[in-house]
Coordinates of all heavy atoms in Angstrom, one line a residue:
V1 N 22.5 -1.9 0.1 CA 21.7 -1.4 -1.1 C 20.8 -2.5 -1.7 O 19.7 -2.2 -1.9 CB 22.7 -0.9 -2.2 CG1 22.0 -0.6 -3.5 CG2 23.5 0.3 -1.7
D2 N 21.4 -3.7 -1.8 CA 20.6 -4.8 -2.4 C 19.4 -5.1 -1.4 O 18.3 -5.4 -1.9 CB 21.5 -6.1 -2.5 CG 22.5 -5.9 -3.6 OD1 22.4 -5.0 -4.5 OD2 23.5 -6.7 -3.6
S3 N 19.7 -5.1 -0.2 CA 18.6 -5.4 0.8 C 17.5 -4.3 0.7 O 16.3 -4.6 0.8 CB 19.2 -5.3 2.2 OG 18.2 -5.5 3.2
M4 N 17.9 -3.0 0.5 CA 16.9 -1.9 0.4 C 16.0 -2.2 -0.9 O 14.8 -2.0 -0.8 CB 17.7 -0.6 0.4 CG 18.3 -0.2 1.7 SD 17.2 0.5 2.9 CE 17.2 2.2 2.3
H5 N 16.7 -2.4 -2.0 CA 15.9 -2.7 -3.2 C 14.9 -3.8 -3.1 O 13.7 -3.7 -3.5 CB 16.8 -2.9 -4.4 CG 17.4 -1.6 -4.9 ND1 16.7 -0.7 -5.6 CD2 18.7 -1.2 -5.0 CE1 17.5 0.3 -5.9 NE2 18.7 0.0 -5.6
H6 N 15.3 -4.9 -2.5 CA 14.5 -6.1 -2.2 C 13.3 -5.7 -1.3 O 12.1 -6.0 -1.6 CB 15.2 -7.2 -1.6 CG 14.4 -8.4 -1.3 ND1 14.0 -9.3 -2.2 CD2 13.9 -8.9 -0.1 CE1 13.3 -10.2 -1.7 NE2 13.2 -10.0 -0.4
F7 N 13.5 -5.0 -0.2 CA 12.5 -4.6 0.7 C 11.5 -3.6 0.0 O 10.3 -3.7 0.3 CB 13.1 -3.9 1.9 CG 12.1 -3.3 2.9 CD1 11.4 -4.2 3.7 CD2 11.8 -2.0 3.0 CE1 10.4 -3.7 4.6 CE2 10.9 -1.5 3.8 CZ 10.2 -2.3 4.7
L8 N 11.9 -2.8 -0.9 CA 11.1 -1.7 -1.4 C 10.3 -2.2 -2.7 O 9.5 -1.4 -3.2 CB 11.8 -0.5 -1.7 CG 12.3 0.4 -0.5 CD1 13.2 1.5 -0.9 CD2 11.0 0.9 0.2
A9 N 10.6 -3.4 -3.1 CA 9.9 -3.9 -4.4 C 8.4 -3.8 -4.3 O 7.8 -3.3 -5.3 CB 10.4 -5.3 -4.7
P10 N 7.8 -4.1 -3.2 CA 6.3 -4.0 -3.1 C 5.8 -2.6 -3.2 O 4.6 -2.3 -3.3 CB 5.9 -4.8 -1.8 CG 7.1 -5.6 -1.5 CD 8.2 -4.8 -2.0
Y11 N 6.7 -1.6 -2.9 CA 6.4 -0.2 -2.9 C 6.5 0.5 -4.2 O 6.2 1.7 -4.4 CB 7.2 0.5 -1.9 CG 6.9 0.1 -0.4 CD1 7.6 -0.9 0.2 CD2 6.1 0.9 0.3 CE1 7.3 -1.3 1.5 CE2 5.8 0.5 1.7 CZ 6.4 -0.6 2.3 OH 6.2 -0.9 3.5
D12 N 7.0 -0.3 -5.3 CA 7.1 0.3 -6.5 C 5.8 1.0 -7.0 O 4.7 0.5 -6.8 CB 7.5 -0.7 -7.6 CG 8.9 -1.2 -7.5 OD1 9.7 -0.4 -6.8 OD2 9.3 -2.2 -8.1
D13 N 5.9 2.2 -7.6 CA 4.8 3.0 -7.9 C 3.7 2.2 -8.7 O 2.5 2.3 -8.4 CB 5.2 4.2 -8.7 CG 5.9 5.3 -7.8 OD1 6.4 4.8 -6.7 OD2 5.9 6.5 -8.2
K14 N 4.2 1.5 -9.7 CA 3.2 0.7 -10.6 C 2.5 -0.3 -9.8 O 1.3 -0.6 -10.0 CB 4.0 0.1 -11.8 CG 4.5 1.1 -12.8 CD 5.1 0.4 -14.0 CE 5.5 1.4 -15.0 NZ 6.1 0.7 -16.2
V15 N 3.2 -1.0 -8.9 CA 2.6 -2.1 -8.0 C 1.6 -1.4 -7.1 O 0.4 -1.9 -7.0 CB 3.7 -2.8 -7.2 CG1 3.0 -3.8 -6.2 CG2 4.6 -3.5 -8.1
Q16 N 1.9 -0.3 -6.6 CA 0.9 0.4 -5.7 C -0.3 0.9 -6.4 O -1.4 0.8 -5.9 CB 1.6 1.6 -4.9 CG 2.6 1.1 -3.9 CD 2.0 0.4 -2.7 OE1 1.0 0.9 -2.1 NE2 2.4 -0.7 -2.3
E17 N -0.1 1.4 -7.6 CA -1.2 1.9 -8.4 C -2.2 0.8 -8.8 O -3.4 1.0 -9.0 CB -0.7 2.7 -9.6 CG 0.0 4.0 -9.3 CD 0.8 4.6 -10.5 OE1 0.8 4.0 -11.5 OE2 1.3 5.7 -10.3
E18 N -1.6 -0.4 -9.1 CA -2.4 -1.5 -9.6 C -3.2 -2.1 -8.4 O -4.4 -2.6 -8.6 CB -1.5 -2.6 -10.2 CG -0.9 -2.2 -11.5 CD 0.1 -3.2 -12.0 OE1 0.3 -4.3 -11.3 OE2 0.6 -3.0 -13.1
K19 N -2.6 -2.2 -7.2 CA -3.2 -2.9 -6.1 C -4.0 -2.1 -5.1 O -4.9 -2.5 -4.5 CB -2.1 -3.7 -5.4 CG -1.5 -4.8 -6.2 CD -0.6 -5.7 -5.4 CE 0.0 -6.8 -6.2 NZ 0.9 -7.7 -5.4
N20 N -3.5 -0.8 -4.9 CA -4.0 0.0 -3.8 C -4.7 1.3 -4.3 O -4.6 1.6 -5.5 CB -3.0 0.2 -2.8 CG -2.4 -1.0 -2.1 OD1 -3.2 -2.0 -2.1 ND2 -1.2 -1.0 -1.7
I21 N -5.3 2.0 -3.4 CA -6.1 3.2 -3.8 C -5.5 4.4 -3.2 O -4.7 4.4 -2.2 CB -7.6 3.1 -3.4 CG1 -7.7 3.0 -1.8 CG2 -8.2 1.9 -4.0 CD1 -9.1 3.1 -1.3
E22 N -5.8 5.6 -3.8 CA -5.4 6.9 -3.2 C -6.4 7.2 -2.0 O -7.5 7.1 -2.2 CB -5.4 8.0 -4.2 CG -4.3 7.8 -5.2 CD -4.3 9.0 -6.2 OE1 -4.8 10.1 -5.8 OE2 -3.7 8.9 -7.2
C23 N -5.8 7.6 -0.9 CA -6.6 7.9 0.3 C -6.5 9.4 0.7 O -5.6 10.1 0.3 CB -6.2 7.0 1.5 SG -6.5 5.2 1.1
V24 N -7.4 9.8 1.5 CA -7.3 11.2 2.0 C -6.4 11.3 3.2 O -6.4 10.6 4.2 CB -8.8 11.6 2.5 CG1 -8.7 13.0 3.1 CG2 -9.7 11.5 1.4
S25 N -5.4 12.2 3.0 CA -4.4 12.4 4.1 C -4.9 13.0 5.4 O -6.0 13.7 5.3 CB -3.2 13.2 3.6 OG -2.5 12.6 2.5
G26 N -4.4 12.7 6.5 CA -4.7 13.4 7.7 C -5.8 12.8 8.5 O -6.3 13.4 9.5
Q27 N -6.4 11.6 8.0 CA -7.5 11.0 8.7 C -7.4 9.5 8.6 O -6.9 9.0 7.6 CB -8.9 11.5 8.2 CG -9.1 11.2 6.8 CD -10.5 11.8 6.3 OE1 -10.7 13.0 6.5 NE2 -11.3 11.0 5.6
Y28 N -7.9 8.8 9.7 CA -7.9 7.4 9.6 C -8.8 6.9 8.5 O -9.8 7.5 8.2 CB -8.4 6.8 11.0 CG -7.6 7.2 12.2 CD1 -8.1 7.9 13.3 CD2 -6.3 6.8 12.3 CE1 -7.4 8.2 14.4 CE2 -5.5 7.1 13.4 CZ -6.1 7.8 14.4 OH -5.3 8.1 15.5
F29 N -8.3 5.7 7.9 CA -9.2 5.1 6.9 C -9.9 3.9 7.5 O -9.4 2.8 7.5 CB -8.2 4.6 5.8 CG -8.9 4.0 4.6 CD1 -10.2 4.4 4.2 CD2 -8.3 3.0 3.8 CE1 -10.9 3.9 3.1 CE2 -9.0 2.5 2.7 CZ -10.3 2.9 2.4
I30 N -11.1 4.2 8.1 CA -11.8 3.2 8.8 C -12.8 2.6 7.8 O -13.6 3.3 7.1 CB -12.7 3.9 9.9 CG1 -11.6 4.5 10.9 CG2 -13.5 2.9 10.6 CD1 -12.3 5.4 12.0
Q31 N -12.8 1.3 7.7 CA -13.6 0.5 6.8 C -14.6 -0.4 7.5 O -14.2 -1.1 8.4 CB -12.7 -0.3 5.9 CG -11.7 0.5 5.1 CD -10.8 -0.3 4.3 OE1 -11.2 -1.0 3.3 NE2 -9.5 -0.3 4.5
G32 N -15.9 -0.3 7.2 CA -16.9 -1.1 7.8 C -17.1 -2.4 7.1 O -16.3 -2.9 6.5
G33 N -18.4 -2.9 7.2 CA -18.7 -4.1 6.6 C -18.3 -5.3 7.4 O -17.8 -5.3 8.5
N34 N -18.6 -6.5 6.9 CA -18.3 -7.7 7.5 C -16.8 -7.9 7.8 O -16.0 -7.5 6.9 CB -18.8 -8.9 6.7 CG -18.8 -10.2 7.4 OD1 -17.7 -10.8 7.7 ND2 -19.9 -10.7 7.8
E35 N -16.4 -8.4 8.9 CA -15.0 -8.5 9.2 C -14.2 -9.5 8.3 O -13.0 -9.4 8.2 CB -14.7 -9.0 10.7 CG -15.2 -10.4 10.9 CD -14.9 -10.8 12.4 OE1 -14.4 -10.0 13.1 OE2 -15.3 -12.0 12.7
S36 N -14.9 -10.3 7.6 CA -14.2 -11.2 6.6 C -14.0 -10.6 5.2 O -13.4 -11.2 4.4 CB -15.0 -12.5 6.5 OG -16.3 -12.3 6.0
E37 N -14.7 -9.5 5.0 CA -14.5 -8.8 3.7 C -13.1 -8.3 3.5 O -12.5 -7.7 4.4 CB -15.5 -7.6 3.6 CG -17.0 -8.1 3.5 CD -17.9 -6.9 3.4 OE1 -17.4 -5.7 3.2 OE2 -19.1 -7.0 3.5

């Protein structure tokens, strides 16, 4: 149980909402631009 909580800490809803975006399901999220961006 402790191992699971530790592993899932980066997946906490608030962490995800702050750092990441909502994407469209069912299709690849292909991003262009310079490879260093």
Side-chain angles (χ1 to χ4, degrees):
V1 172
D2 293 342
S3 175
M4 293 278 275
H5 280 296
H6 177 75
F7 175 74
L8 286 174
Y11 291 86
D12 284 346
D13 286 21
K14 288 185 178 179
V15 174
Q16 289 292 312
E17 289 170 358
E18 290 174 359
K19 294 185 176 182
N20 297 333
I21 65 172
E22 292 186 16
C23 299
V24 179
S25 297
Q27 63 185 46
Y28 297 122
F29 184 30
I30 298 172
Q31 303 179 62
N34 191 290
E35 65 177 1
S36 63
E37 292 179 6

